[in-house]
């Protein structure tokens, strides 16, 4: 907002003392956390979210894993940064972290991109706890070469939304829901933080010359009832990757699959979404979706994880995943905070646990 628009002498004084008016665009976990930290640093912060609620896109629709590195045996940097960032995420959002679950990881006998010994050596190097366990009953013994239990957590998306909202209010962030930010709206702010993930290029000012290509994946996350798997997550890592993890405290599970989760993919400046999927994106649980790959999830998944054969499909969640292109070799998921110009900062997010560290970087750049 322009200094005149803030209206009060108090704000004018503050602004002359180095306090800035900041627009944060995107009410996902990265935008919300950046807004909270900027407000705590004393700035006057406005947060814009085009949807009618916070955390409706990727921050509300994902695999809910608070990564510590197990998933990234081919990218030590991603593993290390996830483990480091886990500490500050927990401190900030403790109420939304689901502890004490069972986290089971398996390496497939065929098609794995990481060998069992390499995985164990990687865990030792990264200080990630592993305990070897028998394959059965959770995995089909003939299909897997190694099964371990590790120590990670999940996030509860509903609790995360509640705690984020509370912290935004406490820190004095002015929230503008149902408000799609446009370049004109952002003109009067001293600084703009873009945290729009799948739409990062839309508001990147062309004169900064830093429009970035991304890989966009339109994803389905089936939500299933899996009696007998309460508070347990199972992952077949890297290669024929698939997983089942609790969906918050709902008692249901969310499925992942490296192939079947993706309905459409493109590399470019913006995502290309098939017309028949557009109405379902970021709309929460779609019951009886007309488009679903649930049969493929179950057929391929139950070859490794037998309980999946009994999964009852409750509905599916659809959203866009955005990753850096051409990183298939390492599967790296960096979080990158960039100062684009005197006024613009961009957050490209990798893993949710990194949001607090990213917010600290934003504050340092303001
Ligand atoms: C299928 C899937 C599984 C994943 N699994 C995991 C996992 O298990 N663990 C993990 O750590 N990470 C996971 N990730 C990655 C993680 O979810 C994302 O990195 C993170 O949630 C992105 O947060 P964000 O705040 O950057 O973006 P988002 O949460 O997508 O928020 C961006 C917001 O910007 C808003 N917006 C866009 N344009 C405008 C505008 N012009 N004006 C106002 N608002 C606008 C959007 O409506 C949206 O709410 C997964 C991602 C996907 C898609």
């Amino acid at each position: 907002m322009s200094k005149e628009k803030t209206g009060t002498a108090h704000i004018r004084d503050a602004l002359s003392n180095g306090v800035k008016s900041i627009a944060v665009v995107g009410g996902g976990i990265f935008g919300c956390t950046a807004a909270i930290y900027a407000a705590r640093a004393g700035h006057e912060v406005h947060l814009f979210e085009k949807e009618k609620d916070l955390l409706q896109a990727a921050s509300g629709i994902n695999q809910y894993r608070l990564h510590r590195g197990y998933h990234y045996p081919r990218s030590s940097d991603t593993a290390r940064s996830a483990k480091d960032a886990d500490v500050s995420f927990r401190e900030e959002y403790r109420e939304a972290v689901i502890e004490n679950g069972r986290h089971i990881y398996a390496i497939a006998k065929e098609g794995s991109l990481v060998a069992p010994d390499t995985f164990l050596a990687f865990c030792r190097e990264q200080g990630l706890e592993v305990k070897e366990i028998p394959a059965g009953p959770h995995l089909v013994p003939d299909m897997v070469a190694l099964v371990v239990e590790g120590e990670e957590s999940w996030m509860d998306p509903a609790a995360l939304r509640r705690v984020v909202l509370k912290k935004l209010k406490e820190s004095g962030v002015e929230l503008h829901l149902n408000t799609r930010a446009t370049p004109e709206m952002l003109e009067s702010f001293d600084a703009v933080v873009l945290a729009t993930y799948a739409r990062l290029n839309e508001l990147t000012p062309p004169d900064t010359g830093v429009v970035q290509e991304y890989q966009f994946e339109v994803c389905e996350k089936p939500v299933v009832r899996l009696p007998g798997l309460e508070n347990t997550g199972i992952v077949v890592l890297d290669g024929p990757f698939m997983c089942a993890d609790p969906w918050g405290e709902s008692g249901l599970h969310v499925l992942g699959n490296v192939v079947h989760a993706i309905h459409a993919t493109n590399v470019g400046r913006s995502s290309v979404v098939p017309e028949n999927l557009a109405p379902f994106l970021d709309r929460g649980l779609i019951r009886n979706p007309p488009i679903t790959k649930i049969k493929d999830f179950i057929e391929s998944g139950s070859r490794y994880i037998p309980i999946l054969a009994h999964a009852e499909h409750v509905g599916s969640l659809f959203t866009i995943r955005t990753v850096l292109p051409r990183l298939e070799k390492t599967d790296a998921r960096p979080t990158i905070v960039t100062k684009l110009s005197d006024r613009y900062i961009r957050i490209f997010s990798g893993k949710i646990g990194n949001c607090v560290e990213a917010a600290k970087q934003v504050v340092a750049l303001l």
Side-chain angles (χ1 to χ4, degrees), residues 104-110 133-148 229 234-236 240 242 298-310:
I104 298 173
Y105 310 87
I107 304 286
K109 268 191 185 155
E110 280 178 28
I133 59 169
H138 293 301
L139 288 131
V140 176
D142 283 351
M143 297 297 285
V144 291
L146 173 74
V147 184
V148 300
L229 203 65
I234 306 178
V235 187
V236 178
M242 64 194 66
I298 290 178
E299 192 192 302
S300 71
S302 57
R303 291 175 55 224
Y304 293 84
I305 307 172
I307 197 172
L308 290 185
H310 307 287

Short mmCIF file of all heavy atoms in Angstrom, two decimals, residues 104-110 133-148 229 234-236 240 242 298-310:
data_model
loop_
_atom_site.label_atom_id
_atom_site.label_comp_id
_atom_site.label_asym_id
_atom_site.label_seq_id
_atom_site.Cartn_x
_atom_site.Cartn_y
_atom_site.Cartn_z
N ILE A 104 7.90 -46.75 7.10
CA ILE A 104 8.55 -47.93 6.51
C ILE A 104 9.02 -47.58 5.09
O ILE A 104 8.24 -47.04 4.30
CB ILE A 104 7.56 -49.12 6.49
CG1 ILE A 104 7.17 -49.46 7.93
CG2 ILE A 104 8.16 -50.32 5.77
CD1 ILE A 104 6.07 -50.51 8.04
N TYR A 105 10.29 -47.88 4.81
CA TYR A 105 10.86 -47.59 3.49
C TYR A 105 11.40 -48.90 2.90
O TYR A 105 12.07 -49.65 3.60
CB TYR A 105 12.03 -46.60 3.59
CG TYR A 105 11.68 -45.37 4.41
CD1 TYR A 105 11.84 -45.38 5.79
CD2 TYR A 105 11.16 -44.24 3.81
CE1 TYR A 105 11.49 -44.29 6.55
CE2 TYR A 105 10.81 -43.15 4.55
CZ TYR A 105 10.98 -43.17 5.93
OH TYR A 105 10.63 -42.08 6.68
N ALA A 106 11.12 -49.09 1.62
CA ALA A 106 11.61 -50.32 0.98
C ALA A 106 12.36 -49.98 -0.31
O ALA A 106 12.08 -48.97 -0.95
CB ALA A 106 10.42 -51.22 0.65
N ILE A 107 13.31 -50.83 -0.64
CA ILE A 107 14.01 -50.72 -1.92
C ILE A 107 13.54 -51.90 -2.78
O ILE A 107 13.62 -53.06 -2.33
CB ILE A 107 15.54 -50.82 -1.72
CG1 ILE A 107 16.05 -49.76 -0.74
CG2 ILE A 107 16.28 -50.75 -3.05
CD1 ILE A 107 16.10 -48.36 -1.25
N ALA A 108 13.07 -51.61 -3.99
CA ALA A 108 12.55 -52.66 -4.86
C ALA A 108 13.70 -53.53 -5.38
O ALA A 108 14.81 -53.05 -5.56
CB ALA A 108 11.81 -52.04 -6.04
N LYS A 109 13.38 -54.82 -5.61
CA LYS A 109 14.40 -55.72 -6.18
C LYS A 109 14.72 -55.33 -7.61
O LYS A 109 15.85 -55.40 -8.05
CB LYS A 109 13.89 -57.17 -6.16
CG LYS A 109 14.29 -57.90 -4.90
CD LYS A 109 14.01 -59.39 -5.02
CE LYS A 109 14.34 -60.01 -3.66
NZ LYS A 109 13.62 -61.25 -3.42
N GLU A 110 13.68 -54.92 -8.34
CA GLU A 110 13.90 -54.57 -9.75
C GLU A 110 13.53 -53.12 -10.02
O GLU A 110 12.53 -52.64 -9.50
CB GLU A 110 13.05 -55.47 -10.65
CG GLU A 110 13.69 -56.81 -10.82
CD GLU A 110 12.86 -57.75 -11.67
OE1 GLU A 110 12.10 -57.26 -12.52
OE2 GLU A 110 12.98 -58.96 -11.44
N ILE A 133 13.93 -54.30 9.01
CA ILE A 133 12.80 -55.12 9.48
C ILE A 133 12.42 -56.12 8.38
O ILE A 133 12.78 -55.91 7.21
CB ILE A 133 11.57 -54.25 9.86
CG1 ILE A 133 11.10 -53.41 8.65
CG2 ILE A 133 11.87 -53.32 11.04
CD1 ILE A 133 9.75 -52.74 8.86
N PRO A 134 11.70 -57.18 8.74
CA PRO A 134 11.27 -58.13 7.71
C PRO A 134 10.29 -57.46 6.73
O PRO A 134 9.59 -56.52 7.11
CB PRO A 134 10.54 -59.23 8.50
CG PRO A 134 10.77 -58.93 9.94
CD PRO A 134 11.24 -57.52 10.08
N ALA A 135 10.25 -57.96 5.51
CA ALA A 135 9.36 -57.36 4.50
C ALA A 135 7.88 -57.52 4.90
O ALA A 135 7.11 -56.57 4.84
CB ALA A 135 9.62 -58.01 3.15
N GLY A 136 7.52 -58.75 5.27
CA GLY A 136 6.10 -59.01 5.57
C GLY A 136 5.73 -58.45 6.93
O GLY A 136 6.60 -58.28 7.77
N PRO A 137 4.49 -58.13 7.18
CA PRO A 137 3.35 -58.26 6.27
C PRO A 137 3.12 -57.03 5.37
O PRO A 137 2.26 -57.06 4.50
CB PRO A 137 2.17 -58.40 7.24
CG PRO A 137 2.57 -57.51 8.40
CD PRO A 137 4.06 -57.64 8.51
N HIS A 138 3.90 -55.97 5.58
CA HIS A 138 3.56 -54.73 4.86
C HIS A 138 4.00 -54.75 3.39
O HIS A 138 3.39 -54.09 2.56
CB HIS A 138 4.20 -53.53 5.56
CG HIS A 138 3.61 -53.26 6.91
ND1 HIS A 138 2.28 -53.00 7.08
CD2 HIS A 138 4.15 -53.25 8.16
CE1 HIS A 138 2.01 -52.82 8.36
NE2 HIS A 138 3.14 -52.99 9.05
N LEU A 139 5.07 -55.51 3.10
CA LEU A 139 5.56 -55.55 1.71
C LEU A 139 5.67 -56.99 1.24
O LEU A 139 5.79 -57.91 2.06
CB LEU A 139 6.92 -54.85 1.64
CG LEU A 139 6.74 -53.33 1.79
CD1 LEU A 139 7.68 -52.75 2.81
CD2 LEU A 139 6.84 -52.63 0.45
N VAL A 140 5.62 -57.19 -0.07
CA VAL A 140 5.72 -58.54 -0.63
C VAL A 140 7.20 -58.93 -0.67
O VAL A 140 7.99 -58.29 -1.39
CB VAL A 140 5.11 -58.57 -2.06
CG1 VAL A 140 5.29 -59.94 -2.71
CG2 VAL A 140 3.64 -58.18 -2.02
N PRO A 141 7.62 -59.96 0.11
CA PRO A 141 9.05 -60.27 0.23
C PRO A 141 9.75 -60.47 -1.12
O PRO A 141 10.88 -60.02 -1.28
CB PRO A 141 9.06 -61.55 1.07
CG PRO A 141 7.79 -61.49 1.86
CD PRO A 141 6.79 -60.80 0.97
N ASP A 142 9.10 -61.08 -2.08
CA ASP A 142 9.76 -61.34 -3.37
C ASP A 142 10.04 -60.07 -4.17
O ASP A 142 10.81 -60.10 -5.13
CB ASP A 142 8.87 -62.24 -4.25
CG ASP A 142 8.95 -63.68 -3.78
OD1 ASP A 142 9.81 -63.95 -2.92
OD2 ASP A 142 8.13 -64.49 -4.26
N MET A 143 9.39 -59.00 -3.81
CA MET A 143 9.49 -57.78 -4.63
C MET A 143 10.50 -56.77 -4.09
O MET A 143 10.85 -55.81 -4.77
CB MET A 143 8.12 -57.07 -4.70
CG MET A 143 7.04 -57.88 -5.37
SD MET A 143 7.43 -58.22 -7.11
CE MET A 143 7.09 -56.62 -7.85
N VAL A 144 10.94 -56.97 -2.84
CA VAL A 144 11.80 -55.93 -2.25
C VAL A 144 13.13 -56.51 -1.77
O VAL A 144 13.20 -57.65 -1.30
CB VAL A 144 11.08 -55.20 -1.09
CG1 VAL A 144 9.95 -54.35 -1.61
CG2 VAL A 144 10.58 -56.17 -0.03
N ALA A 145 14.17 -55.68 -1.89
CA ALA A 145 15.52 -56.14 -1.52
C ALA A 145 15.89 -55.69 -0.11
O ALA A 145 16.80 -56.25 0.51
CB ALA A 145 16.52 -55.58 -2.52
N LEU A 146 15.23 -54.65 0.38
CA LEU A 146 15.56 -54.11 1.71
C LEU A 146 14.33 -53.40 2.26
O LEU A 146 13.64 -52.68 1.52
CB LEU A 146 16.70 -53.08 1.59
CG LEU A 146 17.06 -52.31 2.87
CD1 LEU A 146 17.82 -53.20 3.86
CD2 LEU A 146 17.92 -51.07 2.53
N VAL A 147 14.06 -53.61 3.54
CA VAL A 147 12.97 -52.86 4.21
C VAL A 147 13.51 -52.34 5.53
O VAL A 147 14.13 -53.08 6.29
CB VAL A 147 11.72 -53.75 4.46
CG1 VAL A 147 10.60 -52.92 5.07
CG2 VAL A 147 11.25 -54.41 3.18
N VAL A 148 13.31 -51.05 5.76
CA VAL A 148 13.77 -50.46 7.03
C VAL A 148 12.66 -49.59 7.62
O VAL A 148 11.73 -49.18 6.92
CB VAL A 148 15.03 -49.56 6.83
CG1 VAL A 148 16.19 -50.34 6.25
CG2 VAL A 148 14.71 -48.34 5.97
N LEU A 229 -3.83 -50.11 8.58
CA LEU A 229 -2.57 -49.39 8.33
C LEU A 229 -2.54 -48.07 9.12
O LEU A 229 -1.85 -47.13 8.76
CB LEU A 229 -2.41 -49.10 6.84
CG LEU A 229 -0.97 -48.86 6.37
CD1 LEU A 229 -0.11 -50.11 6.53
CD2 LEU A 229 -0.93 -48.40 4.91
N ILE A 234 4.03 -46.27 4.22
CA ILE A 234 4.92 -47.21 3.52
C ILE A 234 5.37 -46.57 2.22
O ILE A 234 4.54 -46.04 1.46
CB ILE A 234 4.21 -48.54 3.20
CG1 ILE A 234 3.60 -49.13 4.47
CG2 ILE A 234 5.17 -49.52 2.55
CD1 ILE A 234 2.83 -50.41 4.22
N VAL A 235 6.66 -46.62 1.98
CA VAL A 235 7.20 -46.03 0.75
C VAL A 235 8.09 -47.04 0.06
O VAL A 235 8.99 -47.61 0.69
CB VAL A 235 8.10 -44.81 1.08
CG1 VAL A 235 8.52 -44.09 -0.20
CG2 VAL A 235 7.42 -43.86 2.04
N VAL A 236 7.87 -47.26 -1.24
CA VAL A 236 8.87 -47.96 -2.05
C VAL A 236 9.65 -46.84 -2.73
O VAL A 236 9.09 -46.04 -3.49
CB VAL A 236 8.21 -48.90 -3.08
CG1 VAL A 236 9.29 -49.56 -3.93
CG2 VAL A 236 7.37 -49.95 -2.37
N PRO A 240 10.51 -47.60 -8.99
CA PRO A 240 9.06 -47.79 -9.03
C PRO A 240 8.41 -47.14 -7.81
O PRO A 240 7.73 -47.81 -7.02
CB PRO A 240 8.91 -49.33 -9.01
CG PRO A 240 10.12 -49.81 -8.30
CD PRO A 240 11.21 -48.80 -8.55
N MET A 242 6.35 -45.56 -4.98
CA MET A 242 4.93 -45.48 -4.61
C MET A 242 4.84 -45.38 -3.10
O MET A 242 5.79 -45.77 -2.39
CB MET A 242 4.18 -46.71 -5.09
CG MET A 242 4.64 -47.98 -4.45
SD MET A 242 4.04 -49.39 -5.32
CE MET A 242 4.87 -49.22 -6.88
N ILE A 298 -3.79 -48.87 -7.60
CA ILE A 298 -4.01 -50.08 -6.79
C ILE A 298 -3.35 -51.29 -7.43
O ILE A 298 -2.67 -52.08 -6.76
CB ILE A 298 -5.52 -50.29 -6.54
CG1 ILE A 298 -5.99 -49.20 -5.57
CG2 ILE A 298 -5.80 -51.68 -5.99
CD1 ILE A 298 -7.44 -49.22 -5.24
N GLU A 299 -3.50 -51.39 -8.76
CA GLU A 299 -2.92 -52.55 -9.43
C GLU A 299 -1.39 -52.57 -9.29
O GLU A 299 -0.80 -53.58 -8.88
CB GLU A 299 -3.31 -52.53 -10.91
CG GLU A 299 -3.00 -53.83 -11.61
CD GLU A 299 -3.14 -53.66 -13.11
OE1 GLU A 299 -4.23 -53.28 -13.56
OE2 GLU A 299 -2.13 -53.89 -13.80
N SER A 300 -0.75 -51.44 -9.55
CA SER A 300 0.73 -51.46 -9.48
C SER A 300 1.19 -51.44 -8.02
O SER A 300 2.16 -52.09 -7.66
CB SER A 300 1.33 -50.31 -10.28
OG SER A 300 1.10 -49.09 -9.64
N GLY A 301 0.46 -50.72 -7.17
CA GLY A 301 0.88 -50.61 -5.78
C GLY A 301 0.76 -51.92 -5.02
O GLY A 301 1.63 -52.27 -4.21
N SER A 302 -0.31 -52.69 -5.29
CA SER A 302 -0.53 -53.91 -4.50
C SER A 302 0.47 -55.01 -4.87
O SER A 302 0.59 -56.00 -4.14
CB SER A 302 -1.98 -54.40 -4.64
OG SER A 302 -2.26 -54.60 -6.00
N ARG A 303 1.18 -54.84 -5.97
CA ARG A 303 2.26 -55.80 -6.28
C ARG A 303 3.36 -55.73 -5.22
O ARG A 303 4.08 -56.68 -4.98
CB ARG A 303 2.84 -55.53 -7.67
CG ARG A 303 1.84 -55.87 -8.78
CD ARG A 303 2.37 -55.49 -10.14
NE ARG A 303 3.66 -56.08 -10.43
CZ ARG A 303 4.69 -55.43 -10.98
NH1 ARG A 303 4.55 -54.15 -11.31
NH2 ARG A 303 5.82 -56.04 -11.20
N TYR A 304 3.50 -54.55 -4.60
CA TYR A 304 4.53 -54.35 -3.57
C TYR A 304 3.91 -54.27 -2.17
O TYR A 304 4.48 -54.77 -1.21
CB TYR A 304 5.27 -53.03 -3.82
CG TYR A 304 6.10 -53.02 -5.07
CD1 TYR A 304 5.53 -52.71 -6.30
CD2 TYR A 304 7.46 -53.32 -5.03
CE1 TYR A 304 6.29 -52.71 -7.46
CE2 TYR A 304 8.23 -53.31 -6.18
CZ TYR A 304 7.64 -53.01 -7.39
OH TYR A 304 8.40 -53.01 -8.53
N ILE A 305 2.80 -53.56 -2.07
CA ILE A 305 2.18 -53.28 -0.76
C ILE A 305 0.82 -53.97 -0.76
O ILE A 305 -0.17 -53.43 -1.27
CB ILE A 305 2.02 -51.74 -0.57
CG1 ILE A 305 3.36 -51.02 -0.79
CG2 ILE A 305 1.44 -51.42 0.81
CD1 ILE A 305 3.29 -49.48 -0.81
N PRO A 306 0.76 -55.22 -0.22
CA PRO A 306 -0.44 -56.04 -0.45
C PRO A 306 -1.74 -55.42 0.07
O PRO A 306 -2.80 -55.60 -0.53
CB PRO A 306 -0.14 -57.35 0.29
CG PRO A 306 1.18 -57.19 0.95
CD PRO A 306 1.82 -55.92 0.51
N ILE A 307 -1.66 -54.64 1.16
CA ILE A 307 -2.90 -54.10 1.72
C ILE A 307 -3.62 -53.17 0.73
O ILE A 307 -4.84 -52.96 0.83
CB ILE A 307 -2.61 -53.37 3.06
CG1 ILE A 307 -3.90 -53.18 3.84
CG2 ILE A 307 -1.90 -52.05 2.84
CD1 ILE A 307 -3.71 -52.66 5.25
N LEU A 308 -2.87 -52.66 -0.25
CA LEU A 308 -3.50 -51.75 -1.22
C LEU A 308 -4.60 -52.44 -2.03
O LEU A 308 -5.51 -51.79 -2.54
CB LEU A 308 -2.46 -51.14 -2.16
CG LEU A 308 -1.50 -50.12 -1.55
CD1 LEU A 308 -0.62 -49.50 -2.62
CD2 LEU A 308 -2.26 -49.02 -0.81
N ALA A 309 -4.53 -53.76 -2.12
CA ALA A 309 -5.57 -54.49 -2.86
C ALA A 309 -6.93 -54.30 -2.18
O ALA A 309 -7.98 -54.47 -2.81
CB ALA A 309 -5.21 -55.96 -2.94
N HIS A 310 -6.92 -53.94 -0.90
CA HIS A 310 -8.18 -53.76 -0.15
C HIS A 310 -8.55 -52.29 0.01
O HIS A 310 -9.44 -51.95 0.79
CB HIS A 310 -8.06 -54.41 1.23
CG HIS A 310 -7.61 -55.84 1.15
ND1 HIS A 310 -8.44 -56.84 0.71
CD2 HIS A 310 -6.40 -56.40 1.39
CE1 HIS A 310 -7.76 -57.98 0.70
NE2 HIS A 310 -6.51 -57.74 1.10
#
